[in-house]
Amino acid sequence: PPPPEQSSQSTPSPIHQQQEFVLRQGFWEPSLSYLVQRILPLCNKYVSISSFIEERDSTFEYGLVSQAFVASIKALMQEYLIFVAQLESLFHRQSLTLQKIWLHVQQPLRTLTTIETLTREIGESRSKGGKLLTIIHRLSLIMAGDAETQKLFQFMLEKSCVPFFTMVNNWVHGGQLDDTFGEFMICCNSSGSTTGGIGRISSGSGGHIIGSE
């Protein structure tokens, strides 16, 4: 039978575009169609995640935390591609069926579902820095219902936090604010004033304020 059709589906955010694979009607036996329809979401989620990675890799405007987050996703996607290569090896040995594919994709489907949900919310809200980390933490409390998903969130959060904790360390121990992309919760007060506003704090001869996000 012919391969599934590929169609474009627009989303509210131009950042996080998605292509969706759908079955071509009338070319599949009902039993095969049922299995393929259950497997296809894995392909759609991979395309969606790849779109997010490509968008975030194409610009530095989202900052260091976003770069660290994308790097963690790339590592997870590399594991997924290894899994795909293993399936291809089974296919070439003529020991792969749709039923076996469905059996093998259970864990990868859960993993990509988690990552795609996370990248979609981050992409649509254009989040970066501390706000991005907050989304990861919040969704981990909602979605991490099993040990594997907990490990997945822990891995992404630990990798993504490294640049942010470096900023915190420099700020707390050295009084230095190195935040080129506006990711930290403290920002420079260009007027140099440290009074007259809620959230203003003193830092040497200059001034800093708590950021709006």
Side-chain angles (χ1 to χ4, degrees):
E5 292 179 339
Q6 182 177 355
S7 62
S8 296
Q9 181 180 12
S10 60
T11 61
S13 170
I15 310 178
H16 201 47
Q17 297 176 352
Q18 180 185 13
Q19 289 180 313
E20 182 179 3
F21 294 93
V22 296
L23 288 179
R24 182 174 296 168
Q25 299 298 322
F27 289 90
W28 296 84
E29 296 180 3
S31 59
L32 296 178
S33 177
Y34 175 74
L35 282 173
V36 174
Q37 285 178 336
R38 299 182 73 182
I39 296 170
L40 273 183
L42 183 66
C43 308
N44 294 329
K45 294 178 189 306
Y46 177 80
V47 171
S48 178
I49 295 168
S50 297
S51 175
F52 175 86
I53 292 174
E54 182 179 358
E55 172 62 29
R56 291 276 167 147
D57 266 349
S58 66
T59 177
F60 291 103
E61 68 175 292
Y62 295 106
L64 301 178
V65 173
S66 177
Q67 291 177 24
F69 174 61
V70 169
S72 71
I73 298 177
K74 285 182 177 179
L76 295 169
M77 290 298 97
Q78 187 61 37
E79 293 183 7
Y80 172 74
L81 292 178
I82 292 173
F83 162 74
V84 173
Q86 293 171 341
L87 287 184
E88 185 177 5
S89 177
L90 292 175
F91 172 76
H92 288 303
R93 295 203 301 265
Q94 298 184 349
S95 59
L96 189 64
T97 63
L98 282 176
Q99 288 83 358
K100 288 184 178 180
I101 292 177
W102 174 241
L103 178 64
H104 288 309
V105 301
Q106 297 303 306
Q107 184 57 49
L109 182 56
R110 286 193 292 269
T111 298
L112 264 64
T113 297
T114 299
I115 298 173
E116 196 267 346
T117 301
L118 186 56
T119 56
R120 179 168 297 281
E121 179 159 345
I122 291 172
E124 291 180 351
S125 61
R126 306 179 72 91
S127 298
K128 63 180 182 179
K131 187 176 180 181
L132 186 153
L133 297 177
T134 298
I135 291 176
I136 298 176
H137 176 67
R138 176 170 55 80
L139 289 183
S140 72
L141 298 178
I142 298 173
M143 301 180 65
D146 60 86
E148 288 298 323
T149 306
Q150 291 174 2
K151 288 171 57 178
L152 177 63
F153 272 107
Q154 182 178 356
F155 172 78
M156 291 187 290
L157 190 57
E158 286 180 352
K159 297 296 183 182
S160 304
C161 278
V162 172
F164 194 83
F165 284 163
T166 299
M167 296 179 204
V168 172
N169 182 70
N170 292 339
W171 167 252
V172 172
H173 296 288
Q176 301 174 355
L177 182 59
D178 184 12
D179 184 20
T180 304
F181 303 101
E183 301 174 89
F184 200 44
M185 64 271 198
I186 304 297
C187 58
C188 290
N189 179 14
S190 58
S191 66
S193 172
T194 59
T195 61
I198 296 176
R200 293 181 185 272
I201 61 177
S202 175
S203 176
S205 59
H208 298 83
I209 60 174
I210 297 177
S212 60
E213 295 188 8

